[in-house]
Amino acid sequence: MNARQDEARIGTMTATGAFCGHALVCDPSGAAFFPELSLLVVSDLHLERGAAHARRGSLLPPYDTRLSLSRLASVIDRYQPQRVVSLGDSFHDRRGSAEMQDHSRQLLSGLVEGRDWVWINGNHDPDGVADLPGRALDQWDFAGLCFRHEPGPGLAEICGHLHPSATLRRRDKNVRRPCFAMDDKRLMLPAFATLAGGLDLKHRAFAGLFAKDRLTVHLLGADRVYSLPFNRLSG
């Protein structure tokens, strides 16, 4: 497959548009890419979640970090961004980045190397990251956009935290999928984590965050993104 064919294939998978004057690509991985800024955005990686639960006596399969980093490597390879921002809860708890296994640390460091990489501090990892390249910040302002973990006041905000999902009626059943949620002032990303639940956009936690008449939902399918207005959702 040549470069033009590959670009066309990616275009059929993604949802494209604009947010606050910047061209935007919503990828089925849950990452957002701003091509004019060469900027990739992911949220809520929750790396080392399995290890965090193991420390509390609740065992989960210990492969979440490996799978999440593999998916992250794929999306970085696809877009080749100069800049990457991770919108908080990059690690599942305060100890995750310090106690990550060496092979995962080396893989992640390799992804960060040579890029302007920003770690936004989240409620799970408020102290930043340990011994990893990049900058750890509570908020990053760039190109007229505000990047933070939790939604807050102001315009042109890109955030995560709530793990948005949406429910759509298909034939005789409801289908619930992670989603991007976007109006003219806020873009909220789904959780990128391999093991992550989702909170339905009609939950009271989203009350007042979006103008419902201007809210566009980009549902993540298995290999593409499906875009629809909020009023098309079930429930």
Side-chain angles (χ1 to χ4, degrees):
M1 183 178 293
N2 62 38
R4 183 171 296 179
Q5 289 173 321
D6 190 56
E7 183 177 341
R9 180 185 62 83
I10 291 173
T12 63
M13 295 165 47
T14 60
T16 58
F19 176 69
C20 293
H22 297 284
L24 170 67
V25 178
C26 295
D27 189 87
S29 66
F33 182 60
F34 291 87
E36 296 165 359
L37 304 176
S38 192
L39 170 65
L40 185 77
V41 189
V42 293
S43 187
D44 296 273
L45 297 172
H46 285 274
L47 300 173
E48 296 297 289
R49 180 178 181 179
H53 280 270
R55 286 193 289 269
R56 296 167 176 81
S58 178
L59 297 182
L60 290 175
Y63 310 117
D64 58 301
T65 295
R66 187 185 311 169
L67 291 173
S68 293
L69 290 179
S70 177
R71 292 176 56 241
L72 183 58
S74 293
V75 76
I76 286 176
D77 183 64
R78 184 152 63 245
Y79 294 105
Q80 293 295 315
Q82 296 175 12
R83 305 172 181 86
V84 176
V85 56
S86 180
L87 292 174
D89 287 0
S90 303
F91 288 85
H92 194 67
D93 67 5
R94 294 172 185 262
R95 294 171 58 181
S97 63
E99 299 185 9
M100 184 169 52
Q101 294 185 8
D102 288 344
H103 64 84
S104 295
R105 181 177 301 279
Q106 291 169 5
L107 175 57
L108 181 53
S109 296
L111 297 178
V112 177
E113 190 69 31
R115 294 185 169 89
D116 182 9
W117 193 292
V118 177
W119 303 100
I120 299 296
N121 300 326
N123 57 298
H124 280 255
D125 53 1
D127 303 322
V129 296
D131 300 322
L132 285 169
R135 297 177 285 158
L137 305 170
D138 290 330
Q139 177 178 307
W140 186 46
D141 296 299
F142 176 70
L145 303 172
C146 174
F147 299 85
R148 55 165 65 110
H149 180 58
E150 298 187 35
L155 302 175
E157 176 186 88
I158 301 176
C159 61
H161 180 58
L162 291 177
H163 300 203
S165 66
T167 303
L168 180 65
R169 185 75 176 176
R170 295 295 302 270
R171 298 183 179 89
D172 59 346
K173 64 180 181 179
N174 286 330
V175 177
R176 183 174 173 183
R177 298 293 300 170
C179 69
F180 297 85
M182 182 178 73
D183 63 8
D184 53 1
K185 71 173 185 178
R186 177 176 286 115
L187 169 63
M188 185 178 290
L189 271 65
F192 195 87
T194 299
L195 299 174
L199 190 62
D200 195 276
L201 273 175
K202 295 194 174 182
H203 190 278
R204 63 181 180 273
F206 293 95
L209 293 182
F210 297 97
K212 293 181 179 179
D213 59 336
R214 298 190 296 277
L215 176 55
T216 300
V217 179
H218 301 296
L219 285 166
L220 304 187
D223 58 1
R224 62 167 295 178
V225 177
Y226 301 86
S227 302
L228 66 157
F230 179 76
N231 61 17
R232 287 273 312 279
L233 299 177
S234 302

